[in-house]
Amino acid sequence: MAATEIARQTEEGTRTVPLGGHVGFDSMPDQLVNKSVSGGFCFNILCVGETGIGKSTLMDTLFNTRFEGEPVSHDQPGVRLQSHTYDLQESNVHLKLTVVNTVGFGDQINKEDSYKSIVEFIDAQFEAYLQEELKIKRTLHTYHDTRVHACLYFIAPTGHSLKSLDLVTMKKLDSKVNIIPIIAKSDAVSKTELTKFKIKIASELVSNGVQIYQFPTDDETVAEINSTMNVRHVENESHCDFVKLREMLVRVNMEDLREQTHARHYELYRRCKLEEMGFKDTDPESKPFSLQETYEAKRQEFLGELQKEEEEMRQTFVQRLHEKFERLKKLHQEEKKKLEDKKKALEDELNNFKQRKTATELLQSQSLQAGGSTTLKKEKERKK
């Protein structure tokens, strides 16, 4: 038989298929790329910084686009999050970009709670994704993911140290979002002062335990440039030249920022949320605990609590009914006593009336008898 035959008969009569040639699964990366490109991508950036620090200018520069913004008032009592979504296209790749701006951040006299609305916004996006994920009929392939992938934190070029507002806010955000600190308007200070300021900022972040985003270095193709940027990325190089920031944020590490958001920050939120709801992977003895078992345990717990509440309600109802019966009984006794007192008073009054009537009749009888005797006496005297 020819060597290229598809099937052949062995001496034992078993039909075998020879292995050889190109299978084709090396095209999987191309298939993934084509599928991703056809579906498009989304990227969400949160810009945190004080009023007038240059957030809008930076976004225009990063994406080489003039984003139309609405005029906002900065006399709000608190920090307000303003979100805008744009559809961008470069070559044949579509990007749905969402830019979230913190309106009024740092404007208040009391800045103690300035971070809260930012944290609530980030958690709200996590919660929306979690609710979609927990649905029986999910549509994650078409769901518009609004989770924040990168937080550009703008630092004022004071040249001294970080403001307490900045430290507190970044500390509250570092477990929820990828923080990339940026020294805004760095052309306002000299290169020497900028270098010292950058070192000071890095030292304060470390001493305060603030975890900022680290560009990945496990890929050899980007390890060298990312290692360099991990040392200097808090600086706007060459006085507001954002070319390298754009390169690191968009061209090289955008997908890593998306993955970090899902695998690290969202997973932390999801785990904490499910644990609050009572779900767990292991029982008290560290044995595997399935979702079905967790559901049944929660169901039995809920039914037990429901039965307990029903019994408490029944006891409460019986107690209230008994109290009402006792009140009505006491009221009835009081009313009965009042009626008996009135009856006795009426009987006493009736007896008094009868006694007076009897006395009156007796007096009348006596008067009549006395009058009759007098008349008879007068008649007798007249006859004489």
Side-chain angles (χ1 to χ4, degrees), residues 11-78:
E11 294 180 358
E12 292 80 6
T14 303
R15 190 167 180 242
T16 61
V17 179
L19 301 179
H22 181 74
V23 177
F25 54 77
D26 59 353
S27 66
M28 282 295 295
D30 296 331
Q31 296 178 38
L32 291 175
V33 169
N34 293 334
K35 185 176 181 180
S36 298
V37 169
S38 63
F41 301 88
C42 72
F43 191 62
N44 309 315
I45 299 179
L46 170 64
C47 297
V48 181
E50 298 176 2
T51 302
I53 205 167
K55 300 186 291 295
S56 299
T57 301
L58 173 63
M59 296 309 301
D60 290 346
T61 306
L62 280 179
F63 291 93
N64 196 26
T65 303
R66 180 65 178 176
F67 295 114
E68 297 296 333
E70 300 175 0
V72 295
S73 173
H74 296 282
D75 56 356
Q76 301 294 324

Side-chain angles (χ1 to χ4, degrees), residues 296-353:
E296 287 298 329
K298 294 297 294 182
R299 180 174 177 271
Q300 293 300 324
E301 180 182 351
F302 172 76
L303 291 177
E305 292 178 354
L306 183 61
Q307 186 176 2
K308 182 180 178 181
E309 289 179 1
E310 288 179 351
E311 180 63 23
E312 290 176 353
M313 290 177 64
R314 190 183 70 82
Q315 293 291 343
T316 302
F317 175 76
V318 171
Q319 180 67 24
R320 290 180 178 176
L321 187 61
H322 178 72
E323 292 174 354
K324 185 176 181 180
F325 173 77
E326 290 296 327
R327 287 197 304 268
L328 291 175
K329 182 179 178 181
K330 183 178 180 181
L331 182 62
H332 173 72
Q333 291 175 346
E334 291 175 353
E335 292 294 329
K336 182 179 179 181
K337 187 175 182 303
K338 289 179 181 179
L339 289 174
E340 289 177 349
D341 292 342
K342 288 183 178 180
K343 179 181 178 182
K344 186 175 182 304
L346 288 174
E347 288 177 348
D348 292 342
E349 186 177 349
L350 180 61
N351 291 332
N352 291 333
F353 174 77

Side-chain angles (χ1 to χ4, degrees), residues 247-272:
E247 182 180 14
M248 301 311 301
L249 182 66
V250 180
R251 190 180 69 84
V252 179
N253 297 299
M254 179 182 284
E255 185 56 30
D256 183 72
L257 287 164
R258 285 158 44 92
E259 289 179 0
Q260 286 289 323
T261 298
H262 182 80
R264 179 188 171 192
H265 302 297
Y266 171 69
E267 283 299 317
L268 176 61
Y269 176 86
R270 177 180 177 274
R271 183 175 73 246
C272 294

